Amino acid sequence: MREEIINLLKKENKLSNKTISEIKDIDLNDFSNIVKELGKEDTEYIKASEISKDLDTDYIGKNIYVFKEVSSTNTVAKFLSINGAESGSVVISEKQTKAKGRSGKSWESPLGGVWLSIILNPNVDYTKLPLITLATGVAVAKTLEKVGVENPEIKWPNDIIINDKKVCGILTEAVSKFNTIENVIIGVGIDANLNITDFPEKLQDGTTTLKEELGRSGDENLLIRTFLEEFERTTELFNHEGYEDILKEWRKRSYTIGKIVEVREPFNTYYDAYVLGIGKEGALVVEKIDGTLEKVISGECIIKK
Ligand code: BTN
């Protein structure tokens, strides 16, 4: 992580007058302040002032850090969170060079997409983490509805689907101290103003973009503002134990319930099953071929029918 942050600052000439040993001497907090200062400069397409204009939130997006290019917004957000960035801070980048997908996969992040991470101090224990991901999916789906997408669906746990193709992925990472969650980093990647040919050929089949679906480019700053508002509204429900409301909104848009899927749990446990629904803790409840019921807490599922 340190290397990635140093590279970011070097590329932007923020360390140009420093020798290697001087860089070594920089205190982590000072590093974090240089990153924050750099993130205060707007880029060509992402403008914090436009996102903040009329932003109707109490704390999400009160601090926005914008970059032209980072390795991964999740990595930068994690770094800032370790150094005391406030809950609700948002890191956005026009491009990512080493973006992270789920299950250790990489994530394509060319110019034109919305790549952002939110630092959240949600005051919940580990059992609620899956619900944060589901809540984020609901917030993205509601955002897409607001910009004109007719029927965005959510594939468990967190892929947003339009017309059977993926348009957005979500990666939630916890930053812990002594086994309790200090912060959660919620990374969201929306294929917004992109053509399908902007992606490598092997991804093109299952991928779509907002531009392809709506037949036009949209305002990425407005999209981000709308998402931050929806995100705060949905995650606010955590403060009132409104988990059932989140699940209700999720079920309404589910792409997975009622389908036959291949469940892929960690450590290569694969099996076919029928999806019965989603449980209280956000687990996928499935019926295996032999009739046994299973609660899938982590992993992914491939739709078969
Ligand atoms: C998935 O595999 O579906 C999750 C993809 C998450 C991508 C986003 S883009 C912004 C943030 N930064 C990252 O490195 N990953 C997430």
Side-chain angles (χ1 to χ4, degrees):
M1 179 192 288
R2 190 183 154 88
E3 268 319 290
E4 288 175 46
I5 300 295
I6 290 177
N7 284 341
L8 164 67
L9 296 180
K10 274 190 177 160
K11 220 188 276 160
E12 295 295 333
N13 290 327
K14 295 288 174 192
L15 299 173
S16 50
N17 52 355
K18 303 228 179 318
T19 63
I20 295 177
S21 77
E22 281 170 337
I23 293 177
K24 243 192 200 157
D25 279 348
I26 303 178
D27 173 76
L28 270 184
N29 236 346
D30 293 337
F31 251 130
S32 150
N33 287 336
I34 308 174
V35 174
K36 284 181 179 168
E37 190 190 296
L38 175 63
K40 287 291 170 199
E41 296 163 22
D42 281 347
T43 62
E44 190 178 347
Y45 297 102
I46 309 290
K47 315 251 178 252
S49 53
E50 284 185 30
I51 299 168
S52 311
K53 198 170 68 193
D54 303 324
L55 175 70
D56 186 14
T57 60
D58 285 337
Y59 67 102
I60 298 291
K62 292 300 160 193
N63 293 301
I64 297 178
Y65 304 105
V66 174
F67 301 91
K68 275 209 288 285
E69 185 178 293
V70 297
S71 54
S72 150
T73 53
N74 267 33
T75 303
V76 175
K78 207 182 286 175
F79 179 77
L80 294 180
S81 82
I82 293 166
N83 293 290
E86 283 169 44
S87 182
S89 301
V90 183
V91 174
I92 312 170
S93 184
E94 284 189 347
K95 279 197 232 166
Q96 301 179 102
T97 52
K98 235 172 94 185
K100 298 182 273 188
R102 294 181 61 244
S103 317
K105 292 189 193 134
S106 59
W107 179 260
E108 285 297 322
S109 317
L111 184 69
V114 164
W115 322 123
L116 65 82
S117 302
I118 300 177
I119 300 170
L120 195 69
N121 187 334
N123 206 4
V124 293
D125 64 41
Y126 276 98
T127 60
K128 298 288 179 304
L129 270 187
L131 286 172
I132 293 183
T133 305
L134 299 191
T136 308
V138 169
V140 173
K142 286 186 167 179
T143 303
L144 300 192
E145 285 158 13
K146 283 201 164 155
V147 300
V149 175
E150 255 172 42
N151 183 27
E153 295 173 282
I154 314 173
K155 176 169 162 280
W156 187 88
N158 56 10
D159 290 349
I160 309 298
I161 305 286
I162 308 176
N163 292 325
D164 298 316
K165 293 183 169 183
K166 179 164 171 173
V167 71
C168 166
I170 298 161
L171 175 70
T172 310
E173 297 184 274
V175 179
S176 318
K177 193 173 170 186
F178 305 127
N179 245 350
T180 54
I181 297 180
E182 277 235 304
N183 280 298
V184 177
I185 309 298
I186 299 134
V188 177
I190 307 176
D191 301 336
N193 291 330
L194 290 161
N195 298 313
I196 205 64
T197 45
D198 293 328
F199 294 93
E201 219 163 292
K202 64 173 191 313
L203 292 181
Q204 289 181 10
D205 237 10
T207 302
T208 192
T209 74
L210 284 184
K211 187 175 169 190
E212 298 278 349
E213 295 297 327
L214 297 172
R216 56 175 164 81
S217 292
D219 176 345
E220 48 275 87
N221 294 303
L222 175 64
L223 184 72
I224 295 171
R225 189 202 305 156
T226 310
F227 169 66
L228 297 181
E229 292 174 348
E230 289 299 337
F231 181 83
E232 182 169 297
R233 258 168 237 149
T234 317
T235 47
E236 266 297 291
L237 293 166
F238 277 88
N239 300 337
H240 318 111
E241 307 214 335
Y243 310 122
E244 195 42 54
D245 292 333
I246 297 171
L247 292 171
K248 217 161 84 191
E249 294 292 333
W250 193 94
R251 284 189 200 105
K252 234 167 49 186
R253 298 172 176 85
S254 169
Y255 183 75
T256 319
I257 296 172
K259 298 213 168 126
I260 309 240
V261 298
E262 180 181 90
V263 176
R264 296 187 171 179
E265 289 189 285
F267 310 112
N268 294 336
T269 319
Y270 293 6
Y271 53 87
D272 288 351
Y274 174 78
V275 180
L276 291 172
I278 186 108
K280 282 205 298 300
E281 339 62 7
L284 195 70
V285 183
V286 301
E287 183 179 352
K288 287 177 157 179
I289 306 295
D290 64 6
T292 52
L293 298 186
E294 201 73 49
K295 276 188 181 171
V296 190
I297 292 164
S298 64
E300 48 191 311
C301 62
I302 313 293
I303 308 283
K304 300 191 93 175
K305 275 205 272 188

